[in-house]
Amino acid sequence: MKKPIVVGVVGCGYWGPNLVRNFKGLPDCDLKAMCDVNEARLKHMRSLYSDVEGVSDFEHLLNGVGLDAVVVAAPVKHHYSLAKASLLSGKHTLIEKPMASCSAQCEELIQVAESKGLVLMVGHTFLYSAPVHKIVEIVQAGDIGEIRYINSRRLNLGLFQKDINVAWDLAPHDISIILHILGEFPVVVNCQGNAHVTSGIEDVTNISLSFRQKRFATIQSSWLEPRKVREMTIVGTRRMIVYDDLQTHEKIRIYDVRVECPPHYDTFADFHYSYHYGDSYIPHIEQEEPLRAECRHFLDCIEKGNRPLTSGYEGLDLVRILEAASASLKDHGAPVTVSPSLKRDSRPLPVPHLGAPLLH
Ligand SMILES: NC(=O)c1ccc[n+]([C@@H]2O[C@H](COP(=O)([O-])OP(=O)(O)OC[C@H]3O[C@@H](n4cnc5c(N)ncnc54)[C@H](O)[C@@H]3O)[C@@H](O)[C@H]2O)c1
């Protein structure tokens, strides 16, 4: 019989409990321990999961409870040290987004994971969501034509973070989706923003990503908006998609609209844009909680020795873009040139299959 993978979660604040709940509910997983330095959080978690050990000492989590894998859901400034200790102690590691505070830290974590043959995954949760899968399927089928641009807005009032600005907090979701849809890395990043509430921590930012062949994406992030907005528009040459993640069922709508220019004209009177107004339709999407799919993928990669869809390399790419955005922000929106960590097809694929640590 297959032995379950033994998992521990570090960080039980806002997001950690969702990871605990999902790992607890997955077959082939033994959620053995939860760790938080805050005793009040631990007490609360113990009251919800009396059969899961609650520990305040991270060293004990790593070496005292027999884990195969660690999930890091602490604030971003702790990701690097917690994940590095986890990898060095031989644990497969899932780190919440963004992977770390700078690209040098991400590179080191990738190197440690590779040298030890461990799975390193980053929680780019939206890449495990059914609407994003559907959008990629539609784009890859050529249904919307060539993508002209993508516009994304992620706005609400709060939750204000103390260690990162709103771009590092919210934009990772949009950036990961955009890179996945376009299948390429930008060449230039611009970012403007302002810190209105906490000095030095921008609460409103606008990032633009320029890609090859004049394609671009804009990402607006805010903790200072009266209404919650989670909307992305993908404008193609033939059709357009609006993805509204706040809708319960109709998250994606495809608009059969476009504008065409006459191929040539001789006089002004000959010149007419052609506007096409067709139907709009809502594809059916079989939904599952994206975080559950993400957690299952982590276990599956450990089991099979595969590189995750959102590996350390994707985590590093995202942090490079965030670093470029921060540099541009400091320089009042000036363009910052970027390049990917490694071309997608040259990224190492499966980690060596590790049967042994899973056999308890
Ligand atoms: N994937 C997603 O959709 C998503 C959503 C929200 C947050 N997140 C990410 O999850 C992570 C946590 O965010 P949050 O909003 O839950 O933060 P939070 O501040 O609410 O919770 C963090 C918890 O970690 C604990 N902690 C801090 N340092 C620790 C340490 N050294 N050892 C053990 N525990 C420690 C704190 O006491 C706190 O309870 C962040 O990286 C954030 O970006 C991801």
Side-chain angles (χ1 to χ4, degrees), residues 17-92:
N18 293 320
L19 288 151
V20 168
R21 172 175 52 78
N22 275 287
F23 278 110
K24 189 87 182 79
L26 282 172
D28 307 328
C29 178
D30 175 8
L31 195 271
K32 188 84 175 283
M34 323 168 276
C35 172
D36 203 297
V37 286
N38 181 330
E39 279 298 337
R41 289 305 301 163
L42 266 188
K43 192 172 166 208
H44 172 68
M45 293 303 286
R46 283 195 197 106
S47 73
L48 296 176
Y49 304 98
S50 55
D51 56 337
V52 181
E53 197 175 334
V55 301
S56 56
D57 178 12
F58 184 59
E59 276 306 309
H60 179 62
L61 181 87
L62 285 187
N63 303 312
V65 292
L67 301 182
D68 299 310
V70 168
V71 180
V72 178
V76 180
K77 64 182 175 203
H78 299 303
H79 284 187
Y80 165 73
S81 60
L82 294 171
K84 187 174 169 188
S86 165
L87 291 165
L88 285 174
S89 74
K91 312 288 184 280
H92 303 286

Side-chain angles (χ1 to χ4, degrees), residues 10-17 35-38 41 56 58 72-76 78-79 82 96-98 123-126 159 161 164 168-169 173 291 294:
V10 54
C12 299
Y14 164 68
W15 191 243
C35 172
D36 203 297
V37 286
N38 181 330
R41 289 305 301 163
S56 56
F58 184 59
V72 178
V76 180
H78 299 303
H79 284 187
L82 294 171
E96 258 313 323
K97 62 79 197 163
H124 296 169
T125 313
F126 279 87
L159 303 166
Q161 305 289 319
I164 48 173
W168 283 72
D169 182 37
H173 295 309
L291 191 58
E294 174 188 313

